[in-house]
Amino acid sequence: MSKTEFIAEPGKQEIVMIRSFAAPRAKVFGAHVDPLAIPKWWGPRIVTTVVDKLDARHGGLWRFIQRDPSGNEYAFRGVFHESRAPERLVRTFEFEMMPEHVLLETVDFEETGGATKVTTRSVFQTLAARDGMLQSGAEGGAVETWDRLEEFLKA
Amino acid sequence: MSKTEFIAEPGKQEIVMIRSFAAPRAKVFGAHVDPLAIPKWWGPRIVTTVVDKLDARHGGLWRFIQRDPSGNEYAFRGVFHESRAPERLVRTFEFEMMPEHVLLETVDFEETGGATKVTTRSVFQTLAARDGMLQSGAEGGAVETWDRLEEFLKA
C-alpha cells in the first residue's frame, strides 16, 4: 500500500492528498519554498526540473520547467495567494500547455511528535477538469513526487 | 425574476453566476479592472468602496476596502492569476476577516450581437466553505452588485 492517501471522490471537483513525513514541519515546509530544494524532489524522476521563479509571498510568482530525456520542455506556473511558514501555502497552479485550466492548491503542514502531516487540497474550475487530471495519471505522478520528497528529507 | 442566474448545486463546491449586459465586451471587462470604475458598482449600495490595489496581470494584487454607514471597514483581497482582456479574468478572493477561506474566481466575457454575457465561476477549498458563503447571503449581494454594474454600464 502506498504511503500516500489519494482521495478523489466521484462528482467532487477536488483532489486531496495526505502523507506523513518523518521530519520537522519547518524542514518540510522549507522544501516547498526553497528554489535549491525543488529540483531535488519535485516531479517524476525521469525529468530534470529547473526553477525559473519561486517567490513564496502574497502575489509572488512560481514557475518550474521540466525537461524530459528527449529534451522536450514543459512548464508549470502559478501565483502565491499565501505563504504562512511553516503552516500553510495557498497558490494557483497551471500547466502552461493547458492555460485554460487553473487550479487552486492549499497545502497544510501539521507537526505531531516530530513527524509532519502534509495535506494538499487541489480544487478545479470544473468537475470535467478534475476528471481530466485524474485520467492523465495524476495519482502516479503525485505518489512518485512524494516518494522523492521523503528521500530528500532523509538525505 | 432576477436577471442574474445564480447556480449553487447541492454537494458542489462552486457557485456559478451568469448575466447578460447590454454593452460591448471591452467595456464590461474594463469595468472589472479599472480602479476608477470599481467604486461605482462593486459591492452593496449601502457601503462605500475604496480601491487600495488593482493590478490586473499575472501576479498582480487587488484589494478593495468597504466602509459601512457606521464607519466599520471590511477588506477583500486576492491575486490575479490571469487577465486576458477582454475575455477572461482568473483571480483569488479572500475576505480578510476570514483568511482561512480563499476561493478561485474565473470570470468569462462573451460578446454576442453587442451584448456581453458574463459568467463568474467561484470554486471553494471545501464544500463547507461554499455552503457557509451561501448562508451568509451571497446571492443577494451578488445580484445587487450586478444590478449596479448594469446601471454603471448604462450611465
Side-chain angles (χ1 to χ4, degrees):
Chain A
M1 191 183 128
S2 167
K3 296 170 186 171
T4 299
E5 199 177 342
F6 185 96
I7 306 160
E9 293 177 34
K12 293 202 74 176
Q13 66 211 73
E14 67 178 17
I15 295 174
V16 179
M17 297 193 306
I18 304 168
R19 179 156 170 175
S20 280
F21 296 92
R25 183 161 76 157
K27 190 173 178 182
V28 183
F29 184 92
H32 286 73
V33 297
D34 175 0
L36 298 178
I38 292 294
K40 296 177 181 162
W41 68 270
W42 201 84
R45 295 180 200 281
I46 200 171
V47 306
T48 305
T49 298
V50 175
V51 172
D52 177 31
K53 293 171 189 156
L54 179 50
D55 181 15
R57 61 185 174 85
H58 185 61
L61 306 182
W62 69 270
R63 185 170 186 267
F64 304 161
I65 303 162
Q66 292 187 334
R67 187 176 298 118
D68 73 16
S70 309
N72 302 307
E73 289 191 346
Y74 311 92
F76 302 82
R77 69 168 192 163
V79 173
F80 282 91
H81 179 88
E82 184 178 8
S83 174
R84 195 197 319 152
E87 292 168 36
R88 173 172 268 201
L89 293 168
V90 181
R91 62 189 172 202
T92 59
F93 177 104
E94 173 195 320
F95 178 38
E96 289 186 2
M97 292 182 74
M98 297 176 66
E100 292 310 303
H101 297 297
V102 180
L103 58 91
L104 183 68
E105 193 174 68
T106 304
V107 191
D108 284 304
F109 303 80
E110 295 166 79
E111 187 169 324
T112 332
T116 301
K117 184 172 89 168
V118 179
T119 304
T120 297
R121 181 180 295 272
S122 302
V123 296
F124 295 74
Q125 288 159 308
T126 62
L127 178 59
R130 197 286 303 256
D131 289 345
M133 179 71 98
L134 290 178
Q135 282 156 20
S136 77
E139 182 168 359
V143 169
E144 186 175 348
T145 276
W146 274 4
D147 286 346
R148 294 187 69 198
L149 176 56
E150 185 173 80
E151 293 159 22
F152 170 74
L153 293 168
K154 276 184 187 160
Chain B
M1 191 181 128
S2 166
K3 297 169 186 172
T4 298
E5 199 177 340
F6 185 95
I7 306 161
E9 293 178 33
K12 293 202 74 177
Q13 66 210 75
E14 67 176 19
I15 295 173
V16 179
M17 296 192 307
I18 304 168
R19 180 157 170 174
S20 280
F21 296 91
R25 184 160 75 157
K27 189 172 179 182
V28 183
F29 184 93
H32 286 73
V33 296
D34 175 0
L36 298 178
I38 292 292
K40 296 177 182 162
W41 68 270
W42 200 84
R45 295 181 199 281
I46 200 170
V47 305
T48 305
T49 297
V50 175
V51 173
D52 177 32
K53 296 171 188 156
L54 180 49
D55 181 15
R57 61 184 173 85
H58 185 60
L61 306 182
W62 69 270
R63 184 168 187 269
F64 303 161
I65 303 162
Q66 291 186 336
R67 187 177 298 120
D68 72 17
S70 308
N72 302 307
E73 289 191 345
Y74 310 93
F76 301 83
R77 68 168 194 165
V79 173
F80 282 91
H81 179 88
E82 184 177 9
S83 173
R84 196 195 321 151
E87 292 169 37
R88 173 172 268 203
L89 293 168
V90 181
R91 62 187 172 203
T92 59
F93 177 104
E94 173 195 320
F95 177 38
E96 290 186 1
M97 291 183 74
M98 297 177 67
E100 294 309 304
H101 297 297
V102 180
L103 58 92
L104 183 69
E105 195 175 67
T106 304
V107 191
D108 285 304
F109 304 80
E110 296 165 80
E111 186 169 324
T112 331
T116 301
K117 184 172 88 169
V118 179
T119 303
T120 296
R121 182 179 294 272
S122 302
V123 297
F124 296 75
Q125 288 159 308
T126 62
L127 178 59
R130 197 284 307 254
D131 289 345
M133 180 72 100
L134 290 178
Q135 282 156 20
S136 77
E139 181 168 359
V143 169
E144 186 175 348
T145 276
W146 274 4
D147 285 346
R148 293 187 69 198
L149 176 56
E150 185 173 81
E151 292 159 23
F152 170 75
L153 292 167
K154 275 185 190 161

